[in-house]
């Protein structure tokens, strides 16, 4: 699966502060990577309709069992509401046992700097 391009469900106001969330997941097995891929479309559809979502992208290297997510939100509360609802909540619980290595990063940036650069994202996750 190639990188899913930056998708903008809601346009943020110009020159406003946004909450950025990034993650890196490595699955224990190729089976775990397949399970991640199978559940991705439902979560991706959820992001497209999530209140406060300003953009999201996914980078996947399934044969290496590594996945990165990147999203921008109106606030930390909007991100939390997304993570604890819809397809994301059962997916994250279901896949937890499949994960070998997980990293998360959050930071604030200006809406004028969206989409966030993948190079910057990966630097923050390593």
């Amino acid at each position: 699966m190639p990188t899913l391009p930056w998708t903008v469900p809601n346009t943020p106001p110009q020159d406003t502060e946004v909450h950025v969330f990034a993650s890196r997941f490595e699955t224990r097995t190729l089976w775990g990577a397949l399970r991640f891929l199978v559940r991705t479309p439902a979560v991706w559809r959820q992001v497209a309709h999530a209140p406060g979502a300003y953009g999201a992208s996914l980078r996947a290297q399934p044969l290496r069992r590594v996945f990165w997510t990147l999203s921008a939100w109106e606030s930390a509360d909007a991100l939390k509401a997304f993570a604890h609802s819809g397809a994301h909540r059962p997916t994250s619980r279901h896949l937890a046992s499949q994960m070998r290595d997980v990293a998360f990063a959050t930071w604030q940036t200006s809406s004028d700097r969206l989409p966030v650069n993948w190079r910057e994202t990966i630097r923050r996750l390593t």
Side-chain angles (χ1 to χ4, degrees), residues 4-124:
L4 294 178
W6 186 257
T7 299
V8 182
N10 301 297
T11 304
Q14 283 190 312
D15 197 31
T16 189
E17 189 170 82
V18 299
H19 184 80
V20 178
F21 174 80
S23 63
R24 179 189 181 279
F25 300 99
E26 182 178 343
T27 62
R28 295 181 188 283
T29 64
L30 284 175
W31 175 246
L34 178 61
R35 291 172 81 181
F36 187 98
L37 289 174
V38 165
R39 290 177 172 261
T40 294
V43 175
W44 195 251
R45 283 189 300 274
Q46 181 187 352
V47 170
H49 298 92
Y54 288 150
S57 182
L58 170 72
R59 180 177 276 187
Q61 294 181 316
L63 296 178
R64 291 187 177 180
R65 305 181 331 268
V66 178
F67 304 87
W68 294 268
T69 69
L70 175 61
S71 56
W73 299 87
E74 177 182 70
S75 65
D77 288 339
L79 169 60
K80 186 177 179 180
F82 164 79
H84 291 99
S85 65
H88 188 276
R89 184 179 183 123
T91 296
S92 61
R93 288 183 175 183
H94 179 78
L95 294 174
S97 66
Q98 299 295 317
M99 298 302 159
R100 185 178 101 177
D101 187 29
V102 179
F104 301 106
T106 61
W107 67 95
Q108 303 297 114
T109 194
S110 169
S111 60
D112 298 337
R113 299 191 71 201
L114 295 179
V116 178
N117 181 299
W118 271 108
R119 182 177 295 140
E120 169 70 10
T121 301
I122 292 168
R123 181 189 68 77
R124 288 176 180 265

